[in-house]
Amino acid sequence: MQWLAIDFGTSNSAAALPYPGGVYRIPLEPGADTLPTAVFFPTDRGAMRIGRSAAEALITGEDGRYMRALKSVLGLPLLHESRLIAGRRRTLADVITAYLAELRSRAEAATGLTLRRALSGRPVHFHTADPGKDALAESDLRTCYLAAGFDEVRFLAEPEAAALASHRAGPGLGLIVDIGGGTSDFSLFRSSGGQPEILASHGIRLGGTDFDSSVSLTHAMPHLGLGGQLRREMGPGLLPVPRAPYVDLATWAKIPFLYTPETRRMAAGMQRLAEDPQAMGRLRAVIERELGHALAFAVERAKIEANGSAARGRLVLDEIGLAAEISAPGLEAALSGHRDELRLAATETVALAGADPAQVTEIILVGGSSLMGMVRAEMQALFPKASLRSAEAFTAVVDGLAIAAGEKTVA
């Protein structure tokens, strides 16, 4: 029976099959090699939508619950908490299962095959420096695959899969730098017999959604009252605005759970006591009008623009009167702490192999967030003798998984 290669990502997913001499990427949506890892449950209990259709439902203002960054809750108690979603109590494990089941169904429809065995990518570590959570996260994902109709599932580390698809034979060492939506993974390899020989792999729980969160907290949330002060209910003096609701609002996976009566009451009370009621009114509007994802998309767009050739991003959400700019230096400042984390993780990968940075002759950038300028700059600074090459940012992992799926050792 055929193995289906699946790259289940934080932001995007993909599926592929091996064939003699190549890889077939399955079009899970018309004209697309990837499928956004997002779902939308209509309030009227209509059929769940996934991918671009889910985003379109959100953008057009349909009533329902939009969810993204589902992978980030694997290994956490939040995965199994029952929530009322579009009139039904569901867990996030149920949502991931439904997404994987729909992905399998689309792959079968596109290929005419019965697909019951999955070779899935996984980050080197779902959780940084926590083997217990890491093992639980893989177990959680395996359970979701099996519940989605697969009879068997195996896993391969994502940067090792990317090495299969992206390496070039030659002297020296190569380093895969795979910066995805939720994790950053590294594999050091050398070519041996025309194949990459993995010398060491390492990873941390840091990715594009964390970049978005940092940019949001630094550049968007101050316009919603973060950093301000509240008058005391009784007596003189001021209190700092609590940070916790802003952190949740800046976290993709937590946004859907903010729209509760308790949170609405909290936002109203904070506006009443705020020294800057106009800014706090924006927070209240986001909560009451359920605009958290619209704000997150606005931050993501501004981040991408500031990282691009214009070196300036427009942070705009008309519904709450938010209009600001993010400069390239401002983006760099927001992400500076993450630069340090990436540096340490890449350095640790090379050290795990007992190698020297001077031996690295090629850096291969993979994953959508590897397109951030700070990633390229940091890797070039760490490995000055290495050339930098961008692989297929969004499909290198699934291509490598399909190559592995075609090998006898896997199948």
Side-chain angles (χ1 to χ4, degrees):
M1 187 180 291
Q2 180 72 63
W3 285 87
L4 176 64
I6 299 178
D7 177 17
F8 174 61
T10 301
S11 300
N12 294 280
S13 296
L17 292 171
Y19 69 88
V23 167
Y24 172 63
R25 298 176 195 151
I26 300 172
L28 299 172
E29 289 189 321
D33 286 337
T34 60
L35 179 72
T37 311
V39 300
F40 184 87
F41 291 95
T43 301
D44 64 6
R45 302 194 185 189
M48 177 191 73
R49 303 178 198 175
I50 71 171
R52 286 183 296 185
S53 177
E56 287 166 3
L58 174 72
I59 292 167
T60 57
E62 291 190 42
D63 290 334
R65 181 66 60 86
Y66 176 85
M67 307 176 82
R68 188 183 177 195
L70 303 167
K71 185 178 178 180
S72 63
V73 300
L74 293 167
L76 300 177
L78 178 61
L79 180 73
H80 301 291
E81 291 180 9
S82 178
R83 307 272 182 159
L84 190 62
I85 301 173
R88 267 188 54 195
R89 298 206 70 84
R90 314 170 202 254
T91 65
L92 292 181
D94 295 331
V95 176
I96 292 173
T97 295
Y99 179 91
L100 291 172
E102 177 63 19
L103 185 152
R104 179 182 58 78
S105 177
R106 292 188 182 192
E108 289 184 335
T111 62
L113 299 172
T114 298
L115 300 168
R116 293 294 186 271
R117 296 197 292 182
L119 177 63
S120 175
R122 58 149 290 169
V124 177
H125 299 299
F126 288 92
H127 297 274
T128 305
D130 194 327
K133 278 187 182 179
D134 203 48
L136 180 59
E138 182 177 297
S139 176
D140 285 338
L141 185 53
R142 182 186 302 278
T143 299
C144 290
Y145 270 109
L146 296 176
F150 290 95
D151 297 327
E152 186 176 0
V153 57
R154 297 183 187 179
F155 294 98
L156 179 64
E158 289 158 3
E160 296 179 17
L164 283 172
S166 307
H167 82 101
R168 293 173 180 168
L173 303 180
L175 180 68
I176 297 289
V177 178
D178 180 6
I179 316 296
T183 55
S184 294
D185 293 311
F186 306 82
S187 282
L188 188 72
F189 68 90
R190 65 180 167 217
S191 292
S192 177
Q195 292 292 316
E197 177 190 351
I198 303 298
L199 303 178
S201 293
H202 182 49
I204 55 176
R205 188 179 171 86
L206 173 73
T209 56
D210 301 290
F211 301 163
D212 290 347
S213 180
S214 294
V215 173
S216 184
L217 289 168
T218 302
H219 292 285
M221 297 305 168
H223 295 282
L224 278 67
L226 179 62
Q229 294 181 309
L230 303 175
R231 299 185 300 277
R232 293 179 181 272
E233 288 272 14
M234 299 181 64
L238 299 171
L239 297 170
V241 168
R243 186 177 175 84
Y246 295 94
V247 172
D248 286 352
L249 188 57
T251 303
W252 281 99
K254 294 184 178 181
I255 292 171
F257 307 116
L258 280 170
Y259 309 132
T260 64
E262 294 78 13
T263 308
R264 288 182 167 90
R265 285 194 295 270
M266 178 200 66
M270 288 169 60
Q271 184 183 17
R272 178 171 52 83
L273 298 171
E275 286 286 280
D276 186 349
Q278 182 180 21
M280 198 62 70
R282 294 192 185 101
L283 173 68
R284 184 178 180 183
V286 167
I287 299 299
E288 291 187 346
R289 297 170 62 183
E290 300 190 2
L291 295 171
H293 283 109
L295 177 61
F297 276 119
V299 170
E300 185 180 48
R301 286 192 297 269
K303 176 197 73 174
I304 293 169
E305 289 173 358
N307 184 64
S309 57
R312 186 168 296 275
R314 295 181 66 249
L315 177 55
V316 177
L317 187 60
D318 291 332
E319 292 91 335
I320 61 170
L322 173 61
E325 285 192 345
I326 302 177
S327 65
L331 178 64
E332 171 66 25
L335 300 179
S336 59
H338 299 319
R339 180 191 276 258
D340 295 339
E341 293 176 87
L342 291 172
R343 180 190 310 119
L344 288 172
T347 302
E348 176 68 10
T349 307
V350 176
L352 285 171
D356 187 275
Q359 295 175 273
V360 179
T361 57
E362 184 175 40
I363 305 293
I364 303 173
L365 301 175
V366 178
S369 295
S370 72
L371 302 175
M372 297 298 295
M374 72 160 183
V375 175
R376 178 176 290 269
E378 192 58 44
M379 293 305 109
Q380 194 69 81
L382 277 175
F383 308 102
K385 295 184 178 180
S387 62
L388 265 70
R389 174 165 61 92
S390 293
E392 294 286 345
F394 298 101
T395 57
V397 170
V398 78
D399 288 351
L401 289 168
I403 292 169
E407 295 177 354
K408 292 180 181 179
T409 54
V410 175

